[in-house]
Amino acid sequence: GENVEQHPSTLSVQEGDSAVIKCTYSDSASNYFPWYKQELGKRPQLIIDIRSNVGEKKDQRIAVTLNKTAKHFSLHITETQPEDSAVYFCAASNGGGTSYGKLTFGQGTILTVHP
Amino acid sequence: NAGVTQTPKFQVLKTGQSMTLQCAQDMNHNSMYWYRQDPGMGLRLIYYSASEGTTDKGEVPNGYNVSRLNKREFSLRLESAAPSQTSVYFCASRFGYNEQFFGPGTRLTVL
């Protein structure tokens, strides 16, 4: 099955700096890659996603890049703010076959933005 | 729309007790999922249901059973709770291959 590795496990930045979180996946058939943000005690919520027919996607301060050949994708947050502090999860899924779109999650990155 | 709802929010069990976690969604989604979240382990899939009437095992199904009661509801049952099942449980739902929505979670402690 799919295996997703996420790095780093913790990331500490100063307000205004950029933050980058990287994930690798194992199943070359995976074609959907969402990123979730989870604040303390809350549910995970989607912040951005990308499909395999696109190499990059941007939404204000957040961007995701995908390299299908190398099987890795990254989350980029620019101009970080204290409210960006949370746990971030990457995930991958194969939309076809018998997987029924099951998401496999990375282990998570704890991002801390210091004022 | 309430989205995905879960009950209860918190539960404390003794080893060997049984309980059912309830999940419902009002978004007319086909697929529903149960995850557990442990510190440093991310979200691990317990069981999922691709559509009403079907269920299948995920990554960590041992000690759990599920029922897809109808299109809206997907329950998770612990027949004989063990301390290793202490965790936060999230239900989720999805339409096709689009965004997956999570419920608020159930914090379960097994003593």
Side-chain angles (χ1 to χ4, degrees), chain A residues 56-75:
Chain A
E56 184 174 357
K57 185 176 179 180
K58 194 171 181 180
D59 182 4
Q60 299 183 348
R61 296 186 297 109
I62 295 173
V64 57
T65 58
L66 171 65
N67 183 327
K68 287 187 294 182
T69 303
K71 289 191 282 189
H72 69 71
F73 57 112
S74 299
L75 177 71

Side-chain angles (χ1 to χ4, degrees), chain B residues 41-102:
Chain B
M41 298 291 289
L43 291 148
R44 294 186 292 170
L45 184 65
I46 305 171
Y47 269 94
Y48 67 99
S49 171
S51 61
E52 184 179 354
T54 68
T55 61
D56 212 338
K57 296 178 181 179
E59 182 186 353
V60 289
N62 291 347
Y64 305 94
N65 283 300
V66 290
S67 294
R68 184 74 182 267
L69 305 170
N70 47 54
K71 191 171 187 179
R72 290 187 64 249
E73 299 172 289
F74 188 37
S75 62
L76 178 72
R77 182 161 178 83
L78 287 71
E79 290 290 351
S80 179
S84 61
Q85 293 178 304
T86 293
S87 189
V88 180
Y89 292 85
F90 287 100
C91 177
S93 71
R94 191 179 185 195
F95 180 76
Y97 305 116
N98 299 308
E99 178 180 352
Q100 183 166 293
F101 291 85
F102 285 85

Side-chain angles (χ1 to χ4, degrees), chain A residues 25-68:
Chain A
Y25 61 98
S26 61
D27 186 354
S28 56
S30 288
N31 56 13
Y32 176 67
F33 307 92
W35 285 89
Y36 283 83
K37 176 183 180 181
Q38 186 179 28
E39 297 177 348
L40 191 63
K42 302 289 182 64
R43 72 190 81 187
Q45 293 195 294
L46 182 76
I47 55 171
I48 195 167
D49 57 10
I50 191 168
R51 297 186 188 273
S52 59
N53 59 345
V54 175
E56 184 174 357
K57 185 176 179 180
K58 194 171 181 180
D59 182 4
Q60 299 183 348
R61 296 186 297 109
I62 295 173
V64 57
T65 58
L66 171 65
N67 183 327
K68 287 187 294 182

Side-chain angles (χ1 to χ4, degrees), chain A residues 5 13-14 26 31 45 52 68 70 74 85 89-90 99 103 115:
Chain A
E5 297 286 335
V13 301
Q14 289 295 128
S26 61
N31 56 13
Q45 293 195 294
S52 59
K68 287 187 294 182
S74 299
S85 297
F89 292 97
C90 64
S99 68
L103 290 175

